[in-house]
Amino acid sequence: MSRLGLIDYGMGNLHSVQRAFERLGATVQPVQCGAEMEGCKALVLPGVGAFDPAMERLRQGGLAEAITTWCDAGRPLLGICLGLQLLFEASDEGKSTGLGLLQGRVRALPRRPGHPIPHMGWEPLVPANPSPLLPADSPESWVYFVHSYAAEPSDPACNTALVRFADTAVTAAVWQGAIGACQFHPEKSGPHGEAILRRWLAWLDAL
């Protein structure tokens, strides 16, 4: 089973993510600097909190540059929640530039009566373009969300799953090259989230 580098920049729910992967047999190594990525097959970028402080911490520790170098080399990465948003170029939530590994901007969820923000709770994924996270034959997946913002990729083909919110559908998961990411929390999504993580690990092992 692959060794995973779990990016530790002080703003992720590291323990629950680590436990979820270890239950599936993966070896997880916390990563606080670029040198600690050595020997890892893939990176996991979690995140809970606000966009600007997260990017500031990633830059201060040299992790932003190390992650960019990693992904520019075509190496695998999985983002979770805020970790998905940080992959894009910018966010309505702040003024900082993002990692820019995926083109597009993170937008505030639309304000509609009867649809509180943050969007919180269990929702079914709406399949988009198939990916290792959500292949074409995947069964319906109900997963757990907590978010006030959603990515808007420049290329809609980047979306592998959407979720309905108010009168629209917004990005729930993306896939491009060797980069995948989930706006929802797979580690908190029971058997359906576990199945998504298991598919990603199987894809890694096949590389």
Side-chain angles (χ1 to χ4, degrees), residues 73-89:
R75 304 185 73 181
L77 177 143
L78 180 69
I80 296 175
C81 196
L82 179 61
L84 176 148
Q85 298 176 16
L86 298 173
L87 299 174
F88 285 84
E89 295 169 295

Side-chain angles (χ1 to χ4, degrees), residues 109-119 123 164-168:
L109 292 176
R111 295 193 173 273
R112 302 285 189 272
H115 296 277
I117 294 174
H119 173 218
E123 299 283 355
R164 293 185 180 88
F165 179 77
D167 54 358
T168 189

Side-chain angles (χ1 to χ4, degrees), residues 121-125 139-145 184 189-193 196:
W122 294 81
E123 299 283 355
L125 293 177
E140 184 178 54
S141 296
W142 282 75
V143 293
Y144 186 73
F145 287 86
F184 54 91
S189 297
H192 290 175
I196 290 167

Side-chain angles (χ1 to χ4, degrees), residues 10 15 17 42 49-50 84 107 118 126 135-136 163 172 175 184 191 205:
H15 296 299
V17 173
L84 176 148
R107 303 286 185 184
V126 179
V163 63
W175 188 277
F184 54 91
D205 285 343

